[in-house]
Amino acid sequence: MDTRRALLDALEDGPVSGPALAAELDVSRAAVWKAVEALREEGFAVESTGAGYAAPAEPAYCAAGIEFGLDAPYEVEYHDAVPSTNDRARELAADGAADVAVVADEQTGGRGRLDREWVAPSGGVWLSVVTRPTVSPARAPLFTLAAAVATVDACREVGVDAHIKWPNDVLVGGDGAGGAAGDADRSGRGGRKLAGILTEMEGEADRVSWLVVGVGVNANVDPDALPADATSLRAETGGDVDRRRFAATLLERVAALAQTADRSDRILAAWRERASTLGRRVRVETPMGVVTGTAVDVESPGALVIDTGDGTRRVHAGDCEHLRDADG
Ligand code: BT5
């Protein structure tokens, strides 16, 4: 393990002196000092106290800050600004990386599905996780569902009652849970969009080579800086959230769910519990045409089951609109 990471781990247990660290890590005191300086340069403001080096009381939103105490197997690569964390993650994946989370404060070329633009100003939580799961490419959509579950949980932990609209939108209000009374939903979007997920992969017929799960959460961002119908954690809570903790929670949930990817029933059950789409009249634009009906279930690896009134259809990809009953 490198000295930086070992130092980060050692600081979790409280202040520790330079000599004690050198002995514990079996490196020179100069090496300890260099690692401390490296952490400080990254933005993780190691304090020098009478009892030795100590972790900052409120670690910043930076690589070491997110890795500090992180209960997930990811190394974090942080950028103040990057075109797209998914693009950077794909680059790392192509170079053979695994278990890396690329995190940014701002994206200048964020992407949604189908090459749509994703607006990602400074203040958001924009991150992409590179993994190499031993699953078939057909199961990749499960990771999108898992990321949506993880995102909803992280949002709820900071007090924002988010819900999922199939397949990958995390929304607040509208016709789903958490909707304020009279929260009219004329957009068909089923609420105000708080976060989105973009999963990309490369694989062979029977095996994923790499998988990149990108999650964008409008965290400490003003809605004025976002498209109409979007919202942010700041707008919903009336204050700023601790993005370091939020990102760490999100990564921990993603990691925990990814481990259960061979148990799709668990991911599906968690998804159903947090979704606002099931039981609603929907209109889904799929590559094969429009399907309208009542969304009755989600099936592995992520298909929406729609009762059209004239039989059951399963849709695997598309844009989903929640209809008001009168529209149906
Ligand atoms: C998504 O696409 O919702 C997936 C968004 C994934 C973004 C993350 S950020 C980290 C990683 N790096 C990337 O480059 N991407 C991922 P889709 O379902 O196609 O929705 C895109 C649509 O959402 C746009 O056409 C806009 O209407 C709307 N939109 C754009 N930016 C938004 C924002 N910040 N908040 C809410 N809605 C937004």
Side-chain angles (χ1 to χ4, degrees):
M1 194 193 290
D2 67 273
T3 311
R4 172 190 166 283
R5 187 61 199 238
L7 174 57
L8 217 44
D9 288 349
L11 290 174
E12 261 185 69
D13 302 327
V16 52
S17 73
L21 270 172
E24 190 182 323
L25 308 183
D26 198 18
V27 296
S28 67
R29 288 174 64 178
V32 169
W33 182 80
K34 262 176 81 175
V36 167
E37 284 306 300
L39 287 177
R40 286 176 175 159
E41 239 156 68
E42 259 187 53
F44 188 79
V46 177
E47 292 174 14
S48 298
T49 71
Y53 295 119
E58 286 180 19
Y61 182 59
C62 64
I66 296 166
E67 279 177 45
F68 182 64
L70 182 67
D71 186 16
Y74 309 131
E75 194 183 304
V76 176
E77 179 184 290
Y78 176 84
H79 299 267
D80 285 329
V82 72
S84 152
T85 55
N86 259 48
D87 290 353
R88 176 61 189 147
R90 292 176 63 124
E91 230 171 76
L92 291 169
D95 283 347
D99 296 330
V100 178
V102 180
V103 181
D105 171 45
E106 177 184 3
Q107 292 182 125
T108 52
R111 294 187 287 112
R113 291 177 300 154
L114 307 171
D115 272 329
R116 289 189 278 236
E117 185 194 4
W118 181 257
V119 179
S122 170
V125 171
W126 323 119
L127 61 81
S128 304
V129 179
V130 186
T131 55
R132 296 179 178 276
T134 49
V135 299
S136 79
R139 292 177 86 79
L142 276 171
F143 291 85
T144 300
L145 300 189
V149 167
T151 305
V152 162
D153 287 352
C155 292
R156 290 185 180 176
E157 203 151 291
V158 296
V160 174
D161 198 3
H163 54 92
I164 307 167
K165 186 182 76 166
W166 185 88
N168 70 338
D169 282 356
V170 174
L171 309 176
V172 182
D175 53 7
D183 197 352
D185 175 32
R186 293 180 196 86
S187 64
R189 293 185 63 167
R192 303 178 293 281
K193 187 156 169 173
L194 177 63
I197 291 150
L198 177 65
T199 303
E200 299 180 289
M201 63 151 190
E202 190 166 271
E204 327 224 310
D206 57 344
R207 169 91 193 255
V208 165
S209 164
W210 53 255
L211 186 81
V212 168
V213 178
V215 181
V217 183
N218 303 323
N220 301 335
V221 176
D222 285 330
D224 299 357
L226 298 169
D229 286 332
T231 189
S232 66
L233 294 175
R234 177 188 277 170
E236 299 298 328
T237 63
D240 280 355
V241 299
D242 178 346
R243 283 188 295 163
R244 177 198 85 90
R245 181 165 301 160
F246 184 90
T249 302
L250 186 52
L251 292 175
E252 286 171 357
R253 298 282 157 107
V254 166
L257 285 161
Q259 277 168 7
T260 66
D262 52 341
R263 292 280 319 273
S264 54
D265 53 330
R266 284 202 197 161
I267 293 174
L268 292 171
W271 190 92
R272 287 186 193 103
E273 268 174 37
R274 292 158 181 81
S276 56
T277 302
L278 301 182
R280 305 228 162 247
R281 303 263 319 147
V282 296
R283 178 178 184 278
V284 183
E285 271 177 44
T286 82
M288 264 97 73
V290 173
V291 181
T292 305
T294 303
V296 290
D297 199 8
V298 64
E299 276 180 4
S300 186
L304 188 66
V305 184
I306 300 175
D307 176 358
T308 64
D310 185 28
T312 301
R313 293 275 302 272
R314 283 169 180 73
V315 295
H316 296 272
D319 283 316
C320 172
E321 195 182 327
H322 287 183
L323 302 175
R324 286 170 300 158
D325 287 344
D327 298 337

